[in-house]
Amino acid sequence: IEHGFDLERLDPSRVSRGDVRQRLGLEGRIVVGALGRSYWIKNYDTLVRAFAAIADEVPEAVLAIAGPGHEETGRLAAALGVADRVHVLGPWDDVPGLMAAFDLFAHPALAESLLDAGVGGTVARPRTSGGMRPHRGAVRARRGAAGGE
């Protein structure tokens, strides 16, 4: 059964990690990223809340969310005091390039697959059955990639 992914397009060796990071001003940062339209089952509000919970512990981390309809996501980030570290990017055409810029792919959806993250070579942290919880160890493990500890 074919999975529907163009594996060549998602090959991390074909995209430049630095191009998108430079364009967004994210060099030297740990980038936690998510992709998808804003919809209740995607659970982006939980992702923003989880990011806000660890933001002080990992000052070099940023959250980048691409996809249509994230105005409310941006307002929640502002209400939680992390708007300066949550980048609401809107629709994004170069998905492989954006995913290459991520250090950690977050997929807080209540009921969906995250195969595309693994195929693209990005670290993925699936949520637990009880809902998404901050995973400080995964973020700390990527500090070396951002020039941190």
Side-chain angles (χ1 to χ4, degrees), residues 72-120:
E72 186 60 34
T73 305
R75 285 191 287 275
L76 176 60
L80 295 172
V82 292
D84 60 327
R85 295 178 49 199
V86 175
H87 300 264
V88 177
L89 305 174
W92 197 273
D93 290 331
D94 179 19
V95 171
L98 184 61
M99 288 185 68
F102 296 165
D103 293 299
L104 178 69
F105 181 81
H107 189 67
L110 299 172
E112 288 186 323
S113 164
L114 60 97
L115 174 64
D116 50 340
V119 168

Side-chain angles (χ1 to χ4, degrees), residues 22 24 33 36 38 50 62 64 81 98 102-103 105 117-118 127 139:
Q22 184 177 22
L24 296 175
S38 181
V62 296
L98 184 61
F102 296 165
D103 293 299
F105 181 81
R127 68 177 188 83
V139 174

Side-chain angles (χ1 to χ4, degrees), residues 22-80:
Q22 184 177 22
R23 190 164 78 197
L24 296 175
L26 300 177
E27 301 98 331
R29 306 302 298 260
I30 295 174
V31 181
V32 178
L35 299 166
R37 68 184 175 103
S38 181
Y39 184 63
W40 71 270
I41 201 165
K42 302 286 191 169
N43 205 24
Y44 288 112
D45 59 330
T46 299
L47 176 60
V48 172
R49 290 177 195 284
F51 179 79
I54 66 160
D56 288 340
E57 290 183 45
V58 191
E60 66 273 26
V62 296
L63 176 61
I65 302 175
H70 284 285
E71 295 80 12
E72 186 60 34
T73 305
R75 285 191 287 275
L76 176 60
L80 295 172

